[in-house]
Amino acid sequence: DIIFFFFLNLENFDVYAFGLNSHGQLALNDKENRCTPEKIQFFQNEKIIKIEGGFQFTLFMTGIKRF
């Protein structure tokens, strides 16, 4: 299986996701595929500095130390 999903990390730190989402890897709180970019509301007040993904997951790194 080939699975494609994409993220847009804008200069204003908004993060958008689209593509296949069969495992919730788009972080949009569901498992529906997206054909057009949709803003990830969870990161509304976060500065995402790096996004990495694998077959069924995505990792988001913020610039804030939380521990």
Side-chain angles (χ1 to χ4, degrees):
D1 291 333
I2 298 174
I3 296 181
F4 295 101
F5 53 98
F6 304 90
F7 295 91
L8 303 172
N9 194 359
L10 304 183
E11 289 181 3
N12 66 356
F13 306 116
D14 286 347
V15 179
Y16 288 79
F18 61 106
L20 297 181
N21 192 34
S22 57
H23 300 282
Q25 61 267 43
L26 295 182
L28 294 169
N29 206 28
D30 61 36
K31 293 182 180 179
E32 295 181 31
N33 298 335
R34 302 296 197 291
C35 294
T36 58
E38 185 170 328
K39 185 176 180 180
I40 302 176
Q41 297 298 326
F42 182 82
F43 299 121
Q44 190 164 341
N45 297 315
E46 298 286 344
K47 178 181 177 182
I48 302 301
I49 60 172
K50 190 170 187 178
I51 302 172
E52 294 288 337
F55 182 65
Q56 299 175 352
F57 69 93
T58 306
L59 301 173
F60 299 88
M61 182 183 294
T62 68
I64 300 171
K65 189 173 182 179
R66 297 195 178 254
F67 54 89

